Amino acid sequence: HLAGDEYLKEISLLFKKVFRRETDITARYGGEEFIVLMSGESLENACNLAETIRSITENFFLEYQGQTIHNTYFDLKPVN
């Protein structure tokens, strides 16, 4: 659990690097899900940013106490 919590903390930092506008809100939602609120963003740019974070997250790994932790599943659910 400690390794998983550390992994999620690092992922949240990645979200903050991608979604940088003052009006962007990133948050952990539930156990391991994240949500991003982007007021006034075009659908095209929102999709591009979502793809950016998907790609970064997919390739992210964390070294934790001699173990390498990789992402095993990523589900991007667009909100209409």
Side-chain angles (χ1 to χ4, degrees):
H1 283 76
L2 295 177
D5 284 342
E6 188 62 32
Y7 184 89
L8 291 171
K9 287 178 190 176
E10 293 296 321
I11 292 295
S12 72
L13 295 175
L14 294 175
F15 270 73
K16 290 180 186 289
K17 289 180 181 178
V18 172
F19 304 97
R20 300 183 300 250
R21 296 180 316 157
E22 285 186 24
T23 56
D24 293 345
I25 299 171
T26 61
R28 203 166 147 185
Y29 181 76
E32 62 233 9
E33 296 87 21
F34 288 87
I35 187 168
V36 180
L37 300 175
M38 297 181 293
S39 178
E41 190 64 79
S42 71
L43 178 59
E44 181 180 2
N45 198 42
C47 289
N48 288 337
L49 289 168
E51 174 56 26
T52 298
I53 196 66
R54 187 208 61 77
S55 177
I56 291 170
T57 303
E58 179 181 56
N59 294 301
F60 176 76
F61 64 91
L62 175 70
E63 293 293 332
Y64 184 84
Q65 296 183 351
Q67 294 184 328
T68 302
I69 302 170
H70 294 272
N71 185 20
T72 57
Y73 179 73
F74 195 91
D75 185 15
L76 185 63
K77 296 178 183 175
V79 177
N80 293 331

